[in-house]
Amino acid sequence: MSLQDQLRDLSTRDAHVRGLSRRLDAGKRRRTAQQKKLDQLNQQLAELQEELKRAQAHVGSLEADAAAADAKTAKLREQMNTVKTNKEYSALLVEVNTLKIEQAKIDDLILEQMEGVEEKKSRVAELEEKAAEQRRLVELADREVDEARAEVGDQLDETTKERDAAAAQVPDDVLALYRKLDADTDGEAVCGIEEQDRKRMEYTCGGCYMALPIEKVNAAITKPDVLTQCPYCDRILLISEEIRSGLAPSK
Ligand SMILES: [Zn+2]
């Protein structure tokens, strides 16, 4: 196999590996995004539940205050039945009335706080529903990843192994250049020479579409074991069998 053929082969296998990984990666990315949303919802839910608990505790302590005031009022009323003088009675009445005002304030506060508790409860229910929906989306994404893995996993392993074997055939320095170009051009380290007009010897680079000097085309044909790069975009130029055989008779 000439160097050109080796690189053509490697590039085809690379593209295959990339295609297979892309399917798997897309599923994984979707799953990560859905999981992140779920985590956020769970976080909000936990915070809201904590707020609800605090509000409920507040209502509880207000209710205890109200009960204590009730008990005190009842006791005062009992005392009022046993007092001997008007003066004592009046003093107790003042105390009872003061307590009544206090109780009314506590009752208002309880009502107000209860509204807050109810509002929080409905928000918790809403969030719980949202989180449940989101969990279903995560499960769906999980299944997608599993399916993609079942479908392409083995193939990807096999293809990667073959690709690595093909890469091992290529000399280190060429491979390093190939990898760099591959990264720079998003997987287009090699490209074909395209024939525009054979009679006028017009050929272009299949990567950047610039017209190629005829020496480059000749080099690609006559020296398949030496790298020929496009002078404009640096891509490694490959000559197709069609162009090679088309040019051969006239040489
Ligand atoms: Zn080019």
Side-chain angles (χ1 to χ4, degrees):
M1 222 193 265
S2 71
L3 184 61
Q4 261 191 46
D5 287 340
Q6 283 178 343
L7 289 173
R8 195 194 316 271
D9 181 52
L10 176 58
S11 170
T12 307
R13 290 178 193 282
D14 262 343
H16 197 180
V17 168
R18 238 190 326 264
L20 290 171
S21 327
R22 213 170 277 152
R23 252 214 76 194
L24 213 72
D25 291 348
K28 281 185 196 163
R29 269 200 303 278
R30 265 196 297 278
R31 185 184 182 303
T32 306
Q34 300 290 25
Q35 180 66 48
K36 199 172 157 197
K37 272 192 207 164
L38 178 60
D39 291 346
Q40 280 168 350
L41 281 173
N42 281 336
Q43 171 76 20
Q44 282 174 21
L45 190 58
E47 282 167 13
L48 196 56
Q49 276 165 336
E50 194 51 46
E51 271 179 42
L52 175 61
K53 221 192 277 175
R54 275 201 299 272
Q56 280 170 327
H58 190 196
V59 170
S61 83
L62 285 173
E63 279 170 346
D65 289 350
D70 267 347
K72 205 172 172 192
T73 308
K75 211 176 162 196
L76 287 173
R77 283 196 192 285
E78 250 172 57
Q79 276 176 273
M80 281 163 85
N81 288 332
T82 59
V83 291
K84 303 279 186 288
T85 67
N86 257 344
K87 202 182 160 196
E88 275 177 299
Y89 187 87
S90 302
L92 285 173
L93 194 60
V94 168
E95 225 179 305
V96 166
N97 285 336
T98 311
L99 262 177
K100 259 190 202 161
I101 294 171
E102 237 172 76
Q103 265 177 305
K105 272 189 205 158
I106 295 175
D107 286 345
D108 282 351
L109 257 182
I110 289 176
L111 267 182
E112 197 186 298
Q113 291 295 315
M114 286 292 275
E115 270 172 35
V117 165
E118 289 311 313
E119 188 251 348
K120 283 184 177 67
K121 272 186 189 167
S122 74
R123 269 165 62 206
V124 164
E126 229 172 81
L127 263 181
E128 273 171 347
E129 207 175 302
K130 267 193 197 168
E133 262 169 47
Q134 190 58 35
R135 253 194 306 280
R136 275 194 289 279
L137 287 178
V138 171
E139 280 164 18
L140 278 179
D142 261 343
R143 214 173 307 155
E144 256 183 87
V145 172
D146 287 346
E147 277 169 12
R149 196 172 282 137
E151 215 174 291
V152 305
D154 288 348
Q155 211 185 336
L156 180 59
D157 290 347
E158 190 61 28
T159 313
T160 305
K161 222 181 288 169
E162 286 168 7
R163 190 272 316 270
D164 291 346
Q169 301 297 309
V170 178
D172 287 348
D173 53 338
V174 176
L175 189 62
L177 175 71
Y178 170 89
R179 288 279 175 243
K180 187 194 172 296
L181 286 171
D182 203 53
D184 290 350
T185 58
D186 203 16
E188 284 181 32
V190 303
C191 67
I193 291 174
E194 289 174 2
E195 190 173 68
Q196 303 302 334
D197 189 319
R198 188 180 302 171
K199 283 207 182 80
R200 296 162 71 177
M201 297 206 292
E202 281 173 12
Y203 294 87
T204 51
C205 164
C208 68
Y209 312 110
M210 297 290 282
L212 291 169
I214 196 65
E215 313 89 78
K216 291 283 176 189
V217 183
N218 278 334
I221 293 172
T222 56
K223 296 173 193 156
D225 280 317
V226 176
L227 279 187
T228 305
Q229 286 176 265
C230 168
Y232 308 105
C233 69
D234 281 345
R235 285 182 178 84
I236 299 165
L237 296 169
L238 304 178
I239 197 91
S240 70
E241 201 40 55
E242 200 189 343
I243 296 179
R244 192 204 305 272
S245 56
L247 281 176
S250 63
K251 268 202 302 153

